[in-house]
């Protein structure tokens, strides 16, 4: 076995162990330009700073994709967070504001880069699980269930944190980019463990599809 193949084997072993023990792993040098991520975060920050009435203009309940979720801007009904929800570029349900400028092309480029890295890692996970060639690729071959969410969480109160509640994503693999504030936690053996942010890293966590396959 040559050096490159040996390196690939070690990477697969590390990813397999991380997924089995923790359900996630962090990746640097993931192929998504950090300046693109920072641009997208800054544009979303500008969007969230707009008056609420203006943000509501960029919201729709209509969709041409099989997702029963509102697209565009949305505010959590309990004032916990607000977010921008988008589906693959070109989807007619995607709604973007004209201000800040360039938010659509930047978010669409970011979406494409995230999707590319997920497809690459899905191929690696496919091999780690010993599944038939291209099984995970064929499972989500049209990528119509891919989504991108940009969240802004409101400050916590004395009685309640305003982070996302416990949940499992119903897909194959979800990438998460944390800012310096962090806050992502995983449940291991009944205990919530904080996932410390690594500068420039993406956190990939396995979703329901892979968990079901592991049980099989």
């Amino acid at each position: 076995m040559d050096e490159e193949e040996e390196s690939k084997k070690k990477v697969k072993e590390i990813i397999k162990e991380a997924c089995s023990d923790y359900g996630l792993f962090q990746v640097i040098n993931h192929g998504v330009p950090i300046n693109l991520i920072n641009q997208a975060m800054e544009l979303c920050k500008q969007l969230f700073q707009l008056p609420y009435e203006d943000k509501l203009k960029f919201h729709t309940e209509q969709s041409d994709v099989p997702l029963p979720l509102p697209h565009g801007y949305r505010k959590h009904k309990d004032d916990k967070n607000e977010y921008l929800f988008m589906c693959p570029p070109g989807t007619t349900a995607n709604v973007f504001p004209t201000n800040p400028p360039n938010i659509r092309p930047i978010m669409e480029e970011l979406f494409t880069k995230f999707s590319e890295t997920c497809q690459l890692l899905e191929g690696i996970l496919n091999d780690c699980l010993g599944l038939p060639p291209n099984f995970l690729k064929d499972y989500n071959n049209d990528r119509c269930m891919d989504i991108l969410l940009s969240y802004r969480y409101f400050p916590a109160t004395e009685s309640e944190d305003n982070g996302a509640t416990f949940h499992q994503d119903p897909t194959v693999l979800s990438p998460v980019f944390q800012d310096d504030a962090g806050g992502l936690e995983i449940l291991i053996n009944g205990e919530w463990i904080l996932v410390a942010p690594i500068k420039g890293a993406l956190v990939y966590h396995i979703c329901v599809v892979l968990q079901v396959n592991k049980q099989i």
Side-chain angles (χ1 to χ4, degrees):
M1 182 180 296
D2 60 29
E3 185 175 345
E4 181 178 354
E5 288 301 317
E6 183 65 27
S7 296
K8 289 181 179 179
K9 181 180 178 181
K10 289 181 179 179
V11 169
K12 290 180 180 179
E13 290 174 350
I14 292 171
I15 292 176
K16 183 177 181 180
E17 182 179 356
C19 290
S20 298
D21 294 346
Y22 303 103
L24 60 74
F25 51 93
Q26 299 204 57
V27 179
I28 58 174
N29 300 325
H30 39 66
V32 183
I34 189 63
N35 64 318
L36 177 63
I37 294 176
N38 290 335
Q39 277 185 285
M41 292 184 67
E42 177 58 30
L43 289 170
C44 287
K45 180 180 179 181
Q46 294 176 30
L47 168 64
F48 294 142
Q49 289 175 341
L50 293 174
Y52 181 60
E53 294 75 15
D54 291 344
K55 290 182 286 191
L56 279 181
K57 298 176 183 178
F58 312 109
H59 167 81
T60 179
E61 299 286 350
Q62 303 300 318
S63 175
D64 61 352
V65 293
L67 287 169
L69 295 170
H71 296 67
Y73 172 81
R74 190 71 169 177
K75 183 178 181 181
H76 194 283
K77 63 181 180 180
D78 295 327
D79 282 343
K80 289 189 174 184
N81 57 62
E82 57 183 349
Y83 58 87
L84 179 67
F85 181 107
M86 67 174 291
C87 287
T91 303
T92 58
N94 285 336
V95 182
F96 292 95
T98 54
N99 182 34
N102 299 324
I103 189 170
R104 175 187 285 272
I106 292 297
M107 296 303 292
E108 289 183 342
E109 183 180 358
L110 182 65
F111 192 112
T112 299
K113 292 295 184 181
F114 274 144
S115 183
E116 289 173 353
T117 64
C118 281
Q119 291 179 64
L120 174 63
L121 286 167
E122 284 172 9
I124 295 174
L125 290 172
N126 196 98
D127 292 343
C128 290
L129 290 171
L131 296 171
N134 297 321
F135 179 86
L136 294 178
K137 178 181 179 181
D138 293 340
Y139 174 82
N140 189 22
N141 62 337
D142 60 2
R143 315 302 299 187
C144 69
M145 297 297 288
D146 289 359
I147 62 172
L148 177 63
L149 289 163
S150 178
Y151 274 96
R152 173 185 175 245
Y153 292 98
F154 301 127
T157 65
E158 292 184 359
S159 60
E160 185 179 21
D161 290 333
N162 281 348
T165 57
F166 168 76
H167 67 280
Q168 294 176 304
D169 291 345
T171 53
V172 176
L173 190 67
S174 288
V176 177
F177 181 80
Q178 298 192 92
D179 61 14
D180 295 337
L184 179 64
E185 295 181 326
I186 56 173
L187 185 63
I188 300 178
N189 298 324
E191 181 180 359
W192 286 102
I193 306 297
L194 183 67
V195 180
I198 297 176
K199 186 175 182 180
L202 289 176
V203 181
Y204 291 87
H205 65 90
I206 61 173
C207 304
V208 172
V209 171
L210 287 182
Q211 292 173 8
V212 170
N213 273 293
K214 180 182 176 183
Q215 292 172 2
I216 292 174

